[in-house]
Amino acid sequence: MKIGLISDTHSYLDPAVFDYFEDCDELWHAGDVGDFSVLEKLEAFKPTLCVFGNIDDAKVRAATSEDLFFDREGVNIYMTHIGGKPSTYNPRVRPLIDNHKPQVFVCGHSHILKVISDPKRPGLLYLNPGAAGKHGFHSVRTILRFEINAGKLSNMEVIELGKRGKKK
């Protein structure tokens, strides 16, 4: 199963996303969608799982959840928007991670691309795709693409969409 992971679009969906995610089976959006049309475009393109973020309005919140717990190809996944990072997880999120024990924790919010194993929770992979939108302090817009097969993630790719203020 091939996954396209995106976050923090803030109402801007780069057309290049559709090329990069063309071969993906499913898309995951880790929050701060912005305008509802972004979610509609993603859902029309590929099956999409999405959590809402702190900038999302009532329409986006009504169509999404704050937290998603799901399984793909034998991998337990937890996705939320404001998650913090290993060693400094958000206080709301920390007990959810400890109780549900996901193998993959996905979040956005920081606009900082990070893919790391949690040193205090063996077997937990932390994924933050950075920010794909034009708003925020990040300098380069990023997304992730990877595969899940038989309980393992592989072929992790960082894709740069260009500078924050410009199209690639």
Side-chain angles (χ1 to χ4, degrees):
M1 182 173 218
K2 200 166 204 176
I3 305 298
L5 177 56
I6 189 168
S7 186
D8 295 279
T9 46
H10 290 260
S11 301
Y12 175 72
L13 187 57
D14 190 315
V17 166
F18 298 103
D19 294 328
Y20 288 117
F21 288 168
E22 178 64 36
D23 293 333
C24 291
D25 299 299
E26 190 170 76
L27 307 181
W28 302 349
H29 194 303
D32 275 1
V33 173
D35 191 270
F36 189 73
S37 66
V38 169
L39 183 56
E40 289 177 315
K41 289 173 187 170
L42 291 173
E43 289 176 333
F45 177 61
K46 297 283 179 174
T48 302
L49 295 176
C50 183
V51 293
F52 64 76
N54 53 295
I55 68 132
D56 291 320
D57 64 14
K59 190 171 184 180
V60 172
R61 287 172 185 250
T64 60
S65 300
E66 184 172 18
D67 299 296
L68 285 177
F69 299 91
F70 56 100
D71 181 283
R72 290 296 180 271
E73 300 286 324
V75 177
N76 294 317
I77 299 135
Y78 169 31
M79 183 166 65
T80 195
H81 181 60
I82 300 176
K85 61 185 179 185
S87 76
T88 57
Y89 287 118
N90 178 289
R92 185 190 73 79
V93 165
R94 191 178 312 113
L96 294 171
I97 292 171
D98 291 338
N99 291 333
H100 290 274
K101 300 190 183 339
Q103 293 160 288
V104 175
F105 176 61
V106 178
C107 66
H109 186 63
S110 71
H111 293 220
I112 299 170
L113 170 74
K114 192 176 285 289
V115 176
I116 59 170
S117 294
D118 184 328
K120 293 183 180 177
R121 291 170 180 82
L124 178 60
L125 180 64
Y126 172 93
L127 301 179
N128 186 322
K134 294 180 177 181
H135 297 287
F137 61 87
H138 58 287
S139 58
V140 177
R141 296 175 292 114
T142 56
I143 56 177
L144 292 174
R145 185 172 58 194
F146 56 93
E147 294 176 18
I148 305 175
N149 188 9
K152 298 199 184 284
L153 272 68
S154 61
N155 299 320
M156 183 72 63
E157 299 173 90
V158 172
I159 299 165
E160 293 185 355
L161 299 171
K163 298 287 184 188
R164 177 174 43 90
K166 299 177 182 168
K167 293 180 184 176
K168 187 171 182 180

